């Protein structure tokens, strides 16, 4: 049995990843280190409470003393680093925490990893850094998709902090020889996504009969990937990727925001038997400052070198995602705490309807 450290394992992708590992990789035990910010929910892993393969530690990735203890106790053979501040709009209203977690936190984790490798040089170890396509900046409608050699050009404090963390991960490889791989992934959707992000926000606003806020004209394009495909890609890159390598991961499903919102409206209406079309709730609001127009991922490298190809179509997985939210309203209500309501209130009343 090998033990892996998963940071941010109580957030959206980390939760799905731990479930994926528990099901598909029985030789891995998991230590989940999560600070439980507003985005982390320990209830997501309630079924693992008595599982010997799972340990939960509440703590901050920037806590060097805690990291030292965890590495000494568990002798991790790998780190899957998800923990981050992740919401672009929050990075615009309050960027500092993005630097503390995404840059300093990643740096502390790299230092702890390097100290560990130096103390047991013959033991296997790899650091997988989960990053985003947003580091590449914005594409025009006709530009070719991002490849692994597209220059970094981040627009938001979020993407700037992720870009910085990517550079540190690469620097630890080049300078100290730490075995790292970096994945730059497109927009994920699926179960357990916090309802501040577009897809769950729209699903839940329809159920609550609230306006569906579309920024600007709704023409911005994202390349959507079902979270289960992302989990599969991460394990493939961890097991088969070249040390020091970058791998772009995407779903090949480019959609503009208006098309996504309309698709959700139609699917939710069908599933709930709503009388009038929820498309009537669509409300155009003030655009996000520095809003990237388009992201598109060329993931030919991941397909060629680690055999990754997204298995889920957008239509199929969006329907499954909507079903999951409808069937887990207890989870939804539990994350819609006072802090959540306050964010939604400030975010959307200051934005104003156009
Ligand atoms: P999330 O916001 O849902 O979850 C983040 C998790 O990290 C939470 O559980 C939170 O409690 C934890 N966390 C935050 N700060 C921490 C700290 N200082 N110490 C320990 N834990 C901390 O995020 P997500 O959507 O699951 O994203 C996970 C990773 O994937 C991030 O690194 C993100 O940049 C990357 N990513 C996300 C997407 C996407 O579409 N969601 C796409 C590409 C890449
Ligand atoms: P989001 O889910 O925040 O992900 P990201 O900004 O990381 O791509 O947003 C996805 C797209 O949807 C993005 O172009 C912004 C837009 N958007 C809206 O139009 N309305 C909203 O209320 C939100 C949260 C996002």
């Amino acid at each position: 049995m090998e033990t892996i450290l998963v940071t941010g394992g109580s957030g959206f992708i980390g939760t799905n990843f731990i479930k994926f590992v528990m099901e598909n990789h029985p030789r891995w035990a998991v230590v989940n280190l999560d600070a439980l910010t507003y985005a982390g929910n320990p209830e997501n892993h309630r079924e693992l409470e008595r599982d010997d393969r799972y340990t939960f530690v509440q703590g901050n990735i920037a806590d060097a003393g805690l990291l030292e203890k965890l590495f000494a106790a568990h002798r991790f053979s790998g780190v899957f680093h998800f923990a981050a501040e992740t919401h672009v709009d929050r990075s615009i209203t309050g960027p500092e925490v993005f630097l503390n977690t995404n840059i300093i936190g990643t740096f502390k984790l790299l230092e702890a990893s390097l100290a560990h490798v130096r103390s047991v040089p013959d033991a296997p170890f790899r650091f997988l850094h989960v990053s985003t396509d947003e580091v590449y900046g914005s594409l025009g409608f006709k530009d070719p998709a991002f490849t692994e050699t597209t220059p970094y050009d981040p627009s938001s404090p979020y993407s700037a902090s992720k870009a910085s963390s990517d550079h540190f991960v690469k620097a630890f490889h080049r300078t100290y020889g730490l075995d790292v791989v970096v994945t730059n992934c497109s927009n994920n959707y699926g179960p357990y996504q916090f309802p501040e992000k577009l897809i769950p926000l729209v699903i839940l606003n329809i159920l609550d009969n609230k306006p569906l806020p579309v920024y600007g004209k709704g023409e911005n394009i994202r390349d959507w990937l079902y979270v289960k495909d992302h989990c599969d890609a991460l394990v493939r890159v961890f097991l088969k990727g070249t040390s020091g390598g970058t791998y772009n991961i995407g779903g090949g499903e480019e959609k503009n925001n208006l098309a996504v919102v309309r698709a959700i409206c139609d699917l939710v209406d069908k599933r709930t038997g709503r009388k009038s079309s929820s498309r009537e709730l669509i409300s155009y609001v003030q655009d996000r400052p520095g809003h990237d127009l388009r992201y598109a991922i060329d993931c030919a490298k991941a397909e060629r070198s680690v055999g990754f190809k997204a298995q889920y179509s957008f239509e199929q997985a969006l329907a499954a995602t909507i079903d999951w939210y409808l069937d887990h309203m207890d989870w939804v209500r539990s994350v819609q705490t006072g802090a959540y309501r306050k964010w939604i209130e400030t975010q959307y009343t200051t934005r104003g309807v156009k």
Side-chain angles (χ1 to χ4, degrees), residues 178-204:
L178 189 68
D179 187 335
V180 307
V181 276
V182 177
T183 54
N184 293 90
C185 185
S186 62
N187 285 62
N188 284 219
Y189 64 101
Y192 298 101
Q193 188 167 31
F194 194 76
E196 63 187 353
K197 307 279 166 63
L198 181 70
I199 288 182
L201 182 98
V202 167
I203 298 171
L204 300 181

Side-chain angles (χ1 to χ4, degrees), residues 255-324:
K255 313 266 173 219
N256 74 35
N257 293 338
L258 193 55
V260 170
V261 172
R262 285 180 172 155
I264 299 170
C265 289
D266 298 349
L267 284 164
V268 172
D269 290 355
K270 202 165 141 199
R271 173 78 202 268
T272 59
R274 195 187 149 98
K275 296 268 174 332
S276 61
S277 170
S278 57
R279 288 186 183 206
E280 290 164 6
L281 296 171
I282 292 174
S283 161
Y284 294 91
V285 298
Q286 199 182 2
D287 209 351
R288 171 187 282 171
H291 195 176
D292 288 334
L293 179 64
R294 173 174 165 244
Y295 304 141
I297 281 273
D298 177 343
C299 55
K301 179 180 172 186
E303 187 172 343
R304 200 174 54 242
S305 51
V306 303
F308 167 72
K309 198 163 173 45
Q311 298 299 311
Y312 294 87
S313 72
F314 184 71
E315 285 69 24
Q316 172 196 18
L318 183 64
T321 302
I322 290 168
D323 286 349
W324 186 87

Side-chain angles (χ1 to χ4, degrees), residues 89 98 136 155 161 188 214 218 221 248 310 321 345:
D89 295 312
F98 286 72
Y136 298 124
S155 305
S161 67
N188 284 219
V214 171
I221 293 174
N248 280 358
T321 302
E345 217 175 274

